[in-house]
Amino acid sequence: MNWNTLTRQVHRWLSIVFTVTVVANFVAMGFGEPPMWVVYSPLLPLFLLLSSGLYLFALPYAPRSGQRTGG
């Protein structure tokens, strides 16, 4: 398994974790004022999604090893 495949899998699983934390946040808000750790729980997966997403976004533009970069 190479680095790009691992990053894609981690990004997919992080999106599931982020979605679950956001849903849990809304459910907790339905019962009243949620604790602060519930409110801020989506932030860690969000920042990890940001970093992996930016890496995956820049991947097609990065020069590959073994290829000529220009004329």
Side-chain angles (χ1 to χ4, degrees), residues 5 7-8 12 14 23 25-26 28 42 47 59 62-63 68 71:
T5 306
T7 305
R8 289 182 196 280
R12 288 181 189 132
L14 280 173
V23 168
N25 200 346
F26 279 106
F47 288 127
L59 198 59
R68 297 177 74 191

Side-chain angles (χ1 to χ4, degrees), residues 7 10-12 14 47-57:
T7 305
V10 167
H11 188 78
R12 288 181 189 132
L14 280 173
F47 288 127
L48 293 173
L49 272 171
L50 175 68
S51 61
S52 63
L54 287 174
Y55 172 77
L56 291 172
F57 178 76

Side-chain angles (χ1 to χ4, degrees), residues 10-33:
V10 167
H11 188 78
R12 288 181 189 132
W13 281 104
L14 280 173
S15 67
I16 293 170
V17 170
F18 175 71
T19 303
V20 167
T21 56
V22 169
V23 168
N25 200 346
F26 279 106
V27 168
M29 284 183 186
F31 291 113
E33 185 68 28

